[in-house]
Amino acid sequence: MIYTVTFSPALDYVIDLDELRLGETNRSQKESYYFGGKGINVSTVLTNLGIENTALGFVSGFTGSALERGLKEAGLKTDFIHLEEGITRINIKLRMKQETEINTQGAAITESKLEALLGQLERLKEDDTLVISGNIPNTLPDNIYEIMLKRLGGRGIRFVVDATGMLLKNVLKYRPFLIKPNRSELEELTESKIQNDADLEVGAKKLQDLGARNVLVSLGGDGAYLLCENGKQFRVPAIREAVKNTVGAGDSMVAGFLAGYMRKKDYEYALKLGIAAGSATACSEGLAKREKIEEFFQKI
């Protein structure tokens, strides 16, 4: 079973405008909303690809109820912990010639509720996969990722970590099955410039030496690079189509990779399905559906 954790889910409210005039009344051209959060994005695409998984995390208030209900209606299996105060975040995304985002704080997670989540994770067993991703809310300990992986270490659980900076670097000692930095994050982590494929290999190898088993580097419009734990490496270009939306593309890549690995235990196949899922989301209004992902897979 695959489990994803989203500490602070959100309703992403997207507003299309011609322009934003500060201090005046602005009228939208179109509005839409999506159920957001990096772990939830991974769970959604996994579900779209027919891979069983459970989304864990915290919800609260009327927005949390709407999010939980909407995910279940979309076919997702969830096991959220309900916070007693506050509401699940509403993030505002203003789309014009440039996109502006307002990401809100969300409800506070108490120590007792955090312990409840850690108790859920204690039920994971050998061959399960745990996906943790994104930033940490300011009401949680800075080392919460380390706390989680330390408690679950040595049980044969696959850890997938999609995080930045020291948040990622500090958990490499727990030998995560997969990490997914982008080019700039890889440069920051290795303190080196990535200018070509040889630099990608050197940078990814540094993270392997620190403990990562498989290093998947997302390269945006240039596709992705994978350094496998068996020493093999693969480089796959992106699919060139008009980009409509970059939100969730990286999460979709993680989901596609995991779906491919679960199907065939083949890293090259997993990378190609990851690229297809990420590219399909980038070319969709929301997260990619199975048909779009399979269409894109055939183009690789």
Side-chain angles (χ1 to χ4, degrees):
M1 173 69 82
I2 298 175
Y3 297 86
T4 67
V5 174
T6 306
F7 287 118
S8 191
L11 291 175
D12 289 337
Y13 189 49
V14 183
I15 303 172
D16 287 87
L17 299 164
D18 280 330
E19 61 177 328
L20 178 63
R21 297 182 298 277
L22 296 178
E24 299 182 29
T25 298
N26 296 270
R27 299 196 181 278
S28 66
Q29 294 177 314
K30 184 179 71 170
E31 310 91 35
S32 55
Y33 68 90
Y34 303 95
F35 302 117
K38 292 180 71 63
I40 287 173
N41 293 342
V42 173
S43 277
T44 299
V45 176
L46 283 171
T47 300
N48 291 347
L49 287 169
I51 302 297
E52 186 179 2
N53 71 94
T54 301
L56 306 175
F58 303 93
V59 294
S60 55
F62 73 98
T63 49
S65 297
L67 181 142
E68 191 170 27
R69 183 173 60 252
L71 293 178
K72 288 182 178 179
E73 289 173 353
L76 272 71
K77 181 179 179 182
T78 66
D79 191 8
F80 291 127
I81 292 168
H82 292 253
L83 303 176
E84 294 166 0
E85 297 183 0
I87 65 170
T88 290
R89 299 184 300 156
I90 302 174
N91 292 336
I92 308 297
K93 302 182 186 298
L94 304 175
R95 291 201 304 207
M96 299 163 282
K97 291 180 180 178
Q98 291 182 315
E99 186 170 297
T100 300
E101 298 186 11
I102 303 172
N103 289 342
T104 55
Q105 289 283 343
I109 300 169
T110 63
E111 186 175 343
S112 64
K113 295 298 185 180
L114 176 58
E115 280 300 321
L117 173 68
L118 295 175
Q120 286 180 322
L121 297 181
E122 289 290 345
R123 300 199 292 267
L124 271 65
K125 56 187 183 299
E126 185 175 4
D127 246 9
D128 283 340
T129 299
L130 176 64
V131 181
I132 53 177
S133 52
N135 294 323
I136 298 172
N138 57 16
T139 56
L140 292 181
D142 290 342
N143 64 339
I144 184 59
Y145 280 12
E146 294 176 76
I147 292 171
M148 294 165 66
L149 268 59
K150 183 177 182 180
R151 287 178 65 154
L152 297 176
R155 302 189 191 182
I157 299 167
R158 298 183 196 90
F159 301 129
V160 177
V161 184
D162 184 7
T164 61
M166 296 306 295
L167 196 57
L168 174 59
K169 202 166 190 176
N170 288 340
V171 300
L172 295 181
K173 58 192 172 189
Y174 299 106
R175 293 191 51 75
F177 169 73
L178 179 71
I179 62 172
K180 191 202 67 63
N182 60 31
R183 189 197 307 268
S184 62
E185 290 163 354
L186 181 62
E187 289 178 335
E188 178 187 353
L189 287 164
T190 60
E191 298 180 346
S192 57
K193 196 70 177 171
I194 307 298
Q195 297 179 318
N196 50 47
D197 286 0
D199 293 338
L200 282 172
E201 180 182 2
V202 171
K205 186 64 170 64
K206 287 181 180 178
L207 299 187
Q208 269 193 342
D209 291 341
L210 291 173
R213 290 169 56 188
N214 299 287
V215 181
L216 172 60
V217 184
S218 57
L219 302 168
D222 293 326
Y225 166 85
L226 175 68
L227 179 62
C228 308
E229 59 184 329
N230 59 15
K232 291 184 179 180
Q233 53 183 319
F234 302 99
R235 178 79 160 81
V236 177
I239 298 166
R240 300 290 182 181
E241 288 200 15
V243 173
K244 295 181 179 178
N245 162 53
T246 59
V247 176
D251 306 321
S252 300
M253 181 183 291
V254 170
F257 184 96
L258 286 175
Y261 183 80
M262 294 300 171
R263 286 178 184 173
K264 296 194 174 184
K265 298 295 190 291
D266 178 273
Y267 287 129
E268 184 177 14
Y269 176 83
L271 175 60
K272 289 180 178 179
L273 192 57
I275 286 285
S279 298
T281 286
C283 297
S284 302
E285 285 295 333
L287 296 172
K289 303 296 186 182
R290 182 171 189 160
E291 297 76 15
K292 189 77 169 178
I293 296 171
E294 291 176 347
E295 174 193 334
F296 275 40
F297 183 82
Q298 298 302 319
K299 296 180 180 181
I300 296 177

